[in-house]
Amino acid sequence: MTKRERSTYRLVFTALMAALAYVCTLIRFPLLQSRVHLGNAAGILAGLILSPLDAGLASGLGAGLYDATLGGYDALGCVITFASKFASAFICAILFRRAKEAAAGKKLGAAYLSCAIGSLSYVFLYMLKTFIMKQAVDGLALDAVFVVMLQKLPASLINAGFATLAAPPLYFALSPALDRMGISAKLK
């Protein structure tokens, strides 16, 4: 396989996973001051399927595009979303690749642990963003900032939990087909 063919597969699957993250973010419902949605699960799934860079791009682009088109965020908010979603999928992908190599035969545990850490890294970054934006930008008092953070935390933890529980079974369902078709090797 040529380098160009490999690049084409990576580009197509990165775009596919970005589109999936975008569409999954549309499936949502409000909870307190935030929203529960399926977008994080698509981003974390990208972390299991794609390389760290491609996974980060897919997750960040899908979520960032959602925020830019339907999320009602300004440019800074979209950039922050891109960066935090990029980080979560990137971390998941790095950990999964390292854990798969170190723990041969224990891929399921490696997948769940990688997804959990990647998902929780997003929760941390989202809470950090909320703290900074509400305190430094909006000028809220510290106690009010913590109230806002506590209102956003349940939805964020639900999103993280769902992503952690949903992505590994999806990966293990798709993985044999991707291997059989020789696609997995082209995405590394």
Side-chain angles (χ1 to χ4, degrees), residues 82-106:
F82 172 85
S84 57
K85 299 289 184 164
F86 179 99
S88 67
F90 185 86
I91 289 167
C92 175
I94 286 179
L95 293 175
F96 186 56
R97 266 129 203 89
R98 289 191 179 158
K100 263 193 336 186
E101 293 167 5
K106 297 182 182 176

Side-chain angles (χ1 to χ4, degrees), residues 107-139:
K107 290 182 184 176
L108 184 62
Y112 277 109
L113 183 60
S114 301
C115 291
I117 293 170
S119 294
L120 289 174
S121 70
Y122 173 74
V123 173
F124 171 78
L125 291 170
Y126 183 65
M127 290 296 113
L128 179 63
K129 176 207 86 153
T130 301
F131 178 82
I132 291 169
M133 296 299 283
K134 294 299 176 188
Q135 224 287 311
V137 177
D138 295 344

Side-chain angles (χ1 to χ4, degrees), residues 24 56-57 73-74 82 104 109 130 156 159 187:
C24 285
L57 287 172
Y73 289 90
D74 60 8
F82 172 85
T130 301
S156 294
N159 289 339
L187 299 177

